[in-house]
Amino acid sequence: MKAYENMSIWMVAGSQHLYGDETLKLVRSHTEEIAGYLSSLDNIPAEIQYKGILTTPQEITDFCIRASADDHCAGVILWMHTFSPSKMWINGLKVITKPILHLHTQYNRDIPWGEIDMDFMNLNQSAHGDREHGYINTRMKIERKVVTGYWKDDKVHKGISSWIRAAAALKDIRGAKVARFGDNMRDVAVTEGDKVAAQIAFGFDVYGYGVGDLVARIKEVKEEQIDSLIKEYKEVYEIDKALLPGGSRHEELREAARLEAGIENFLVDGNFVAFTTTFEDLEGLRQLPGFACQRLMEKGYGFGAEGDWKTALLVRAMKVMGKGLSGGTSFMEDYTYHLDPANPMVLGAHMLEVCPTISGNEKVRLEIHPLGIGGKEDPVRLVFNVPEGDSVNASLIDMGNRFRLLVNEVYTVDITEKLPRLPVARVLWKPKPNLETASHAWILGGGAHHTGYSKQVTTEMLIDFCEMCCIEMVLIDDKTDISSFKKEVKWNDLYYTLKAFSGGV
């Protein structure tokens, strides 16, 4: 079963009638075989549908219009098996709205040295045809991903898979809705942003609601729905005895379940994929809904604390990208440092809202503790550590004339110390290349304190996603040095300023 059953990728080859019917028959056969082979692979997360070969300007334009209009199509793979004169592609490339992957491969892996002739050369000339196709895309400034190599190689499959996952995320957020309960945290700059510009870049819309609208839905929750959630909690989590039925704090757990059910009912009825809350606007709520946020992220919703709709959208997109992969994705915050010169690290957490999908195989505990913020009753929360492994931290920020995704590759390490007075979900990581350089670069890049943290999403997926959305991507990894980083962000500022001045072309 594919991770994305509700979408497909269309694959075609470009050619022309110059080479005759026999050659075109082989082009069709080879393209269909490659599409079928790729689609059959377990690590290709969506069906790849063979859609024929394109040999005339009208066929190309018709294909691009059909792909753009088809809700099931998430992107197209283009391969120039022979030479397809690129002027034929201009009108089609002007109208296509789906992500493009240019597959630079050829049907045969090896040159048949003793048998090669001009018929073979005319048929197997993607080394020639793909360069022509690359030119017109570059000339027209078409954003696309290029994957090169033999079509049976794992590296090629990895590149295609990453692009498909990014395309799935883009398909999901185009036309999606984010619910914003209350405003952002007062006087905070980075959680603000241009919602119109965001809708133009990503396709999603942000709908604002007063907390009273949510409270009304919470009051409508039936006791049966709460009972069902309590039963689920008992099956999934290790629960503090005081929270169990008959315990002294069981009513607080029922209230937490009421919050979860009310928010989820609101999101389902409104067809929302992500949401935000803020601890400065809780009128009518008995608890800060941190546990509800944890649970809803576990179910796939994006979330941003303190009104941070950009991070809510990012977390949703990353969850879609990582669908079916191990590791999990969560809303996160760089909270405090361990500045031991021999072993510098970052402790990530939030007041409450960290998704349990990143907990690994650890049994997650469901507990209740006081919270010195928000002015409400003691909130229920899931408490766990996050196991070691490669991870990414990503921050989506509004730079005024464009959006920037700032990504830091990190390595999560096991927490070996006891944290008896910190009853929250927490994760410990070492940023690449090191804490000093990474934090320096993050601040220079304008990265927010809120992030999307993932152990399943890769840098390549995020790069592919940014290219599809035509937004800026800045990476902090093991090759980063501050001098080069400063130059990169300055060059990027100049590029995007000139791009805006020239009308975005």
Side-chain angles (χ1 to χ4, degrees):
M1 180 180 292
K2 298 294 187 184
Y4 307 109
E5 291 291 323
N6 64 336
M7 59 173 254
S8 63
I9 302 298
W10 291 8
M11 180 173 175
V12 295
S15 189
Q16 60 178 314
H17 287 279
L18 176 66
Y19 306 109
D21 290 342
E22 284 303 313
T23 295
L24 293 181
K25 285 180 182 178
L26 288 170
V27 172
R28 289 188 183 92
S29 174
H30 292 172
T31 308
E32 185 172 16
E33 181 182 347
I34 292 174
Y37 174 82
L38 294 173
S39 191
S40 72
L41 297 173
D42 291 340
N43 60 346
I44 298 296
E47 179 187 12
I48 296 179
Q49 295 182 353
Y50 165 71
K51 292 292 182 177
I53 66 172
L54 307 177
T55 59
T56 68
Q58 192 60 53
E59 287 178 354
I60 292 167
T61 302
D62 289 347
F63 168 79
C64 291
I65 291 172
R66 284 190 291 110
S68 298
D70 192 292
D71 290 338
H72 199 255
C73 175
V76 298
I77 297 176
L78 307 178
W79 172 44
M80 303 304 113
H81 191 314
T82 64
F83 191 82
S84 180
S86 64
K87 286 177 65 178
M88 296 197 305
W89 287 83
I90 291 174
N91 288 338
L93 293 174
K94 285 171 66 176
V95 300
I96 194 165
T97 60
K98 298 295 173 73
I100 297 170
L101 184 144
H102 183 177
L103 179 59
H104 182 43
T105 190
Q106 65 182 26
Y107 180 73
N108 60 297
R109 193 192 72 170
D110 303 325
I111 294 174
W113 302 106
E115 301 172 9
I116 188 169
D117 57 18
M118 283 310 301
D119 288 339
F120 181 94
M121 296 279 275
N122 285 332
L123 173 64
N124 298 285
Q125 56 169 309
S126 52
H128 183 191
D130 278 331
R131 281 167 168 75
E132 170 77 355
H133 190 67
Y135 165 76
I136 202 62
N137 280 268
T138 299
R139 173 71 183 269
M140 295 176 67
K141 297 181 173 60
I142 303 291
E143 291 288 352
R144 77 283 191 195
K145 180 170 187 175
V146 179
V147 174
T148 64
Y150 185 52
W151 53 280
K152 289 187 176 180
D153 287 348
D154 289 342
K155 185 177 180 180
V156 169
H157 306 157
K158 181 175 178 290
I160 295 173
S161 176
S162 169
W163 174 83
I164 290 175
R165 290 184 174 279
L170 180 60
K171 181 179 183 295
D172 178 77
I173 65 173
R174 278 183 171 171
K177 297 164 61 180
V178 178
R180 195 173 188 225
F181 299 116
D183 205 345
N184 71 308
M185 186 177 173
R186 298 174 195 128
D187 288 331
V188 177
V190 78
T191 53
E192 293 281 12
D194 187 334
K195 299 184 188 71
V196 174
Q199 189 168 357
I200 292 170
F202 304 102
F204 72 93
D205 200 359
V206 180
Y207 290 72
Y209 296 94
V211 175
D213 297 322
L214 178 58
V215 170
R217 298 302 305 273
I218 291 170
K219 290 179 178 178
E220 295 173 355
V221 173
K222 306 295 185 184
E223 293 300 311
E224 294 80 6
Q225 192 172 2
I226 295 174
D227 292 339
S228 177
L229 286 173
I230 297 295
K231 180 181 179 182
E232 184 179 342
Y233 301 160
K234 290 167 67 177
E235 293 173 351
V236 176
Y237 308 120
E238 183 180 331
I239 304 179
D240 188 324
K241 290 182 180 179
L243 291 172
L244 291 169
S248 61
R249 312 299 297 271
H250 182 61
E251 281 307 309
E252 282 95 327
L253 181 59
R254 292 189 69 82
E255 182 62 23
R258 190 184 309 276
L259 290 173
E260 177 188 341
I263 297 173
E264 185 170 15
N265 292 345
F266 192 108
L267 298 177
V268 170
D269 290 347
N271 197 29
F272 295 100
V273 303
F275 70 105
T276 72
T277 61
T278 172
F279 65 83
E280 290 184 319
D281 193 354
L282 298 172
E283 184 64 32
L285 300 180
R286 288 172 52 187
Q287 294 180 22
L288 183 67
F291 175 54
C293 298
Q294 290 181 295
R295 288 275 300 169
L296 291 167
M297 274 192 285
E298 188 175 17
K299 295 176 181 179
Y301 287 96
F303 171 75
E306 298 143 23
D308 190 350
W309 53 268
K310 297 189 300 298
T311 301
L313 185 281
L314 175 62
V315 170
R316 168 64 180 193
M318 292 173 72
K319 282 185 172 291
V320 174
M321 287 182 221
K323 185 177 180 181
L325 301 176
S326 62
T329 292
S330 178
F331 170 79
M332 187 56 66
E333 181 169 292
D334 294 59
Y335 230 104
T336 195
Y337 293 143
H338 182 65
L339 293 177
D340 176 1
N343 192 28
M345 296 179 288
V346 178
L347 183 64
H350 206 254
M351 293 180 296
L352 301 172
E353 307 98 333
V354 174
C355 179
T357 59
I358 62 174
S359 64
N361 296 321
E362 177 183 337
K363 186 76 170 180
V364 175
R365 283 192 52 78
L366 180 54
E367 303 177 4
I368 184 168
H369 300 277
L371 182 69
I373 197 166
K376 295 293 179 177
E377 296 176 3
D378 296 347
V380 174
R381 80 284 300 274
L382 296 172
V383 179
F384 55 88
N385 295 328
V386 179
E388 69 175 0
D390 289 322
S391 316
V392 294
N393 244 342
S395 172
L396 182 62
I397 52 179
D398 187 342
M399 296 298 293
N401 63 345
R402 83 277 191 186
F403 289 93
R404 170 182 287 170
L405 187 68
L406 186 61
V407 178
N408 188 191
E409 294 181 348
V410 306
Y411 188 80
T412 300
V413 298
D414 290 325
I415 297 176
T416 57
E417 301 293 330
K418 301 294 184 182
L419 297 167
R421 301 181 65 181
L422 188 67
V424 296
R426 54 272 171 128
V427 54
L428 190 65
W429 67 77
K430 296 182 178 182
K432 295 180 182 180
N434 53 66
L435 175 56
E436 180 181 0
T437 302
S439 59
H440 190 161
W442 192 271
I443 289 171
L444 288 176
H449 56 290
H450 290 165
T451 61
Y453 165 92
S454 184
K455 299 187 72 182
Q456 59 188 172
V457 172
T458 64
T459 298
E460 185 177 7
M461 294 177 200
L462 294 172
I463 291 172
D464 291 342
F465 179 74
C466 289
E467 290 177 347
M468 291 175 187
C469 298
C470 299
I471 68 166
E472 180 187 7
M473 160 77 176
V474 179
L475 176 63
I476 303 169
D477 62 5
D478 54 7
K479 302 181 184 67
T480 298
D481 70 87
I482 295 302
S483 177
S484 298
F485 189 87
K486 285 182 177 180
K487 293 175 184 177
E488 180 181 358
V489 293
K490 287 179 180 178
W491 292 337
N492 287 2
D493 280 336
L494 177 60
Y495 167 78
Y496 284 98
T497 299
L498 292 174
K499 183 178 181 181
F501 181 77
S502 65
V505 296

